[in-house]
Amino acid sequence: MAKLIMSLDDAVIREVPLDKERVTIGRKAHNDIQVDNLAVSGEHAVIVTILNDSFLEDLGSTNGTLVNGNPVKKHILQNNDTIEVGKYKLKYVSDPPPAGAGKPSVADFEKTMILRGPRPAAGAAAPAPGLADTQINEAPAVVPPPPPPPASRAPEKIAAVQILTGPNAGKELELTKNLTTLGKPGVQVAVITRRPHGYFITHVEGASFPVVNGKALDAQARQLNDHDVVELAGVKMEFFFKGN
């Protein structure tokens, strides 16, 4: 399990295991990691952990969030990354991949589906392509999680999502990877994870949460059932199992 080692002036204060899907950082008392410093915003940043990956997102803080000395908005954390919020440092420590696992590549990740709403009026800027190989972070490379052990094999049924509205209506994407990101970066992004006992959707980015069957998600992952309708970034799509 990954963890954060919190320090101030090189003195370790506490260790925080990333045992929740969302760990919030900020000055207010309701945060999972409360940082008592005026340079830290009330709700400063959040870390979303999916399988063996942890995503850091700055929540529009006043003074920003640094990783290894560089300001970031979104970042996929890697072992020994150092997050700086105010005067405090949070070192990210993750379990090393198993021996012989080999070096993972970006190809191990599913393509991100960028969702578009209705086409703009004449003269407006052209929208982005419907599918792109972009990741939800701005890093030049992504390190995917190591392959799961045999006991954690993925479900036998393969699922897919089909776009129901907008210019991409009818387009279908099979969910064959462990991690698939959906949405519009900077607006709303969610992640669908393929786990041993099913497929789960989790909110990652955006002020509003995705809607499933007319009900907004909360901060926790929600298991998807056959023919669930998901609304994300203004686009509706249907989740279904192949062959049904």
Side-chain angles (χ1 to χ4, degrees):
M1 179 188 300
K3 63 182 178 180
L4 297 174
I5 301 175
M6 186 175 182
S7 63
L8 176 64
D9 297 329
D10 296 326
V12 174
I13 299 173
R14 60 184 288 207
E15 292 188 4
V16 182
L18 297 178
D19 53 0
K20 297 171 56 179
E21 291 194 350
R22 291 176 64 88
V23 172
T24 57
I25 303 169
R27 194 177 68 254
K28 292 183 179 179
H30 66 261
N31 288 284
D32 298 297
I33 302 176
Q34 185 183 12
V35 182
D36 187 14
N37 186 279
L38 292 177
V40 178
S41 297
E43 296 174 350
H44 196 98
V46 63
I47 295 175
V48 177
T49 300
I50 307 292
L51 299 176
N52 294 318
D53 271 332
S54 294
F55 302 79
L56 170 70
E57 180 185 358
D58 181 87
L59 297 176
S61 64
T62 301
N63 295 310
T65 302
L66 303 180
V67 175
N68 303 328
N70 300 311
V72 300
K73 292 297 183 183
K74 295 181 291 290
H75 179 77
I76 294 185
L77 293 168
Q78 300 185 40
N79 190 37
N80 292 324
D81 275 353
T82 299
I83 306 166
E84 295 180 52
V85 288
K87 297 181 180 180
Y88 290 79
K89 293 184 178 180
L90 298 160
K91 184 176 181 180
Y92 175 77
V93 179
S94 63
D95 296 329
K103 184 178 180 180
S105 66
V106 177
D108 292 328
F109 263 83
E110 184 62 87
K111 292 180 180 179
T112 298
M113 176 176 279
I114 307 301
L115 304 175
R116 293 185 284 131
R119 295 186 183 279
L131 287 172
D133 285 325
T134 54
Q135 304 296 327
I136 70 168
N137 74 314
E138 298 171 356
V142 177
V143 179
S152 300
R153 65 183 184 278
E156 293 182 0
K157 285 186 177 181
I158 297 296
V161 291
Q162 184 176 39
I163 307 301
L164 301 178
T165 61
N168 288 323
K171 190 180 292 295
E172 183 180 305
L173 176 68
E174 286 193 359
L175 305 175
T176 57
K177 301 292 184 180
N178 284 339
L179 183 70
T180 303
T181 56
L182 298 169
K184 185 183 295 182
V187 178
Q188 193 178 44
V189 175
V191 176
I192 294 180
T193 53
R194 187 180 179 213
R195 302 182 183 179
H197 47 292
Y199 289 81
F200 290 76
I201 185 169
T202 306
H203 173 73
V204 172
E205 177 189 351
S208 60
F209 285 67
V211 174
V212 178
N213 298 334
K215 183 177 180 181
L217 299 179
D218 55 23
Q220 303 303 315
R222 182 195 189 281
Q223 186 168 7
L224 290 169
N225 297 313
D226 198 23
H227 301 301
D228 276 351
V229 175
V230 179
E231 187 170 354
L232 177 67
V235 175
K236 289 185 178 181
M237 67 193 78
E238 180 184 3
F239 170 89
F240 64 96
F241 287 103
K242 301 285 286 186
N244 284 7

